[in-house]
Amino acid sequence: QQQVKQSPQSLIVQKGGISIINCAYENTAFDYFPWYQQFPGKGPALLIAIRPDVSEKKEGRFTISFNKSAKQFSLHIMDSQPGDSATYFCAASNTGAGSYQLTFGKGTKLSVIP
Amino acid sequence: DVKVTQSSRYLVKRTGEKVFLECVQDMDHENMFWYRQDPGLGLRLIYFSYDVKMKEKGDIPEGYSVSREKKERFSLILESASTNQTSMYLCASSPQGAGNIQYFGAGTRLSVL
């Protein structure tokens, strides 16, 4: 049972455009929602994360939007650059239960073309 | 800087061989994880450990076992490798009480022939 659904599977965006990746979750106990970025040949690295007490978090060109009632969250990359080309994973966790596990989405391969 | 080191970047093994994948972290993290990454399937948790000599099954533990004899080292063992275990294996670690931030190694690409 997939608990975090991520879309799209792949995304092509022109340089300067906005990249949007969406995730939906089922478990209402999830209370921590990170996004990881993975470049070819590297392991994933934490990009940005949000908790459900806020609806939006922004770090530079990266913004997470969170909709608790819809159980959805999304990553927006403003002014997308070729250097942003990577695979992005959303994830979710239930930290309230003392769990350190992350449940990952299946990933989105982003290509930013010049 | 947190460093998670996986001993091999590429590994080629034969069906039926016993395979050891090693992972070492240098930040005294309590938690360690093993994932496999396959195209279109994302990251799937195999096993994890919250302490030395402690292990818990993840979502896909079948065909794997783990060992954690020292805090900094977490080993993934394929008792009898099969072709369907050809994959990218990722190790991660995290400190307790740090909001579940996981730090990943660069991965081991295992091919079982």
Side-chain angles (χ1 to χ4, degrees):
Chain A
Q1 179 187 355
Q2 186 188 356
Q3 294 192 55
V4 179
K5 292 185 179 179
Q6 183 172 347
S7 63
Q9 210 170 7
S10 63
L11 183 60
I12 300 174
V13 172
Q14 286 221 308
K15 179 182 174 182
I18 302 174
S19 303
I20 302 175
I21 305 170
N22 300 300
C23 285
Y25 63 97
E26 298 162 5
N27 187 348
T28 54
F30 286 150
D31 60 359
Y32 174 70
F33 302 90
W35 285 88
Y36 280 76
Q37 179 188 53
Q38 184 181 29
F39 293 107
K42 304 284 188 182
L46 178 67
L47 181 63
I48 186 173
I50 196 169
R51 292 198 179 269
D53 51 346
V54 296
S55 60
E56 186 175 283
K57 184 173 181 180
K58 185 175 181 179
E59 289 185 4
R61 296 183 294 108
F62 299 90
T63 299
I64 300 179
S65 297
F66 185 81
N67 186 329
K68 189 174 182 178
S69 60
K71 293 187 287 184
Q72 295 175 346
F73 58 110
S74 59
L75 176 70
H76 296 235
I77 306 174
M78 311 300 288
D79 186 27
S80 299
Q81 299 296 313
D84 297 331
S85 297
T87 299
Y88 292 82
F89 294 96
C90 62
S93 181
N94 178 8
T95 64
S99 169
Y100 294 95
Q101 295 178 66
L102 291 172
T103 299
F104 285 89
K106 292 187 176 182
T108 297
K109 185 174 183 179
L110 171 65
S111 299
V112 181
I113 55 176
Chain B
D1 245 8
V2 176
K3 195 164 184 184
V4 179
T5 303
Q6 295 185 230
S7 54
S8 305
R9 290 302 305 272
Y10 301 94
L11 215 49
V12 180
K13 296 293 181 181
R14 296 283 181 191
T15 303
E17 277 192 77
K18 189 168 186 176
V19 181
F20 293 86
L21 302 183
E22 306 287 346
C23 176
V24 177
Q25 49 94 4
D26 66 356
M27 285 302 292
D28 202 36
H29 286 173
E30 288 80 8
N31 309 318
M32 296 190 75
F33 308 83
W34 274 106
Y35 296 88
R36 65 176 282 175
Q37 180 177 11
D38 300 287
L41 295 180
L43 278 69
R44 293 181 291 167
L45 182 63
I46 304 172
Y47 267 97
F48 59 100
S49 169
Y50 290 162
D51 202 351
V52 175
K53 296 192 184 294
M54 175 272 178
K55 61 184 178 184
E56 287 199 33
K57 293 180 180 179
D59 299 319
I60 52 164
E62 296 79 19
Y64 304 94
S65 62
V66 290
S67 172
R68 194 167 181 201
E69 295 295 320
K70 293 184 177 181
K71 189 175 186 180
E72 67 271 18
R73 187 180 296 271
F74 193 34
S75 303
L76 180 69
I77 303 158
L78 287 66
E79 293 288 342
S80 178
S82 63
T83 54
N84 62 12
Q85 292 178 309
T86 291
S87 186
M88 170 69 83
Y89 290 88
L90 290 163
C91 174
S93 71
S94 73
Q96 286 189 2
N100 287 15
I101 300 172
Q102 293 188 13
Y103 300 86
F104 284 83
T108 295
R109 185 164 294 281
L110 172 67
S111 296
V112 182
L113 306 178

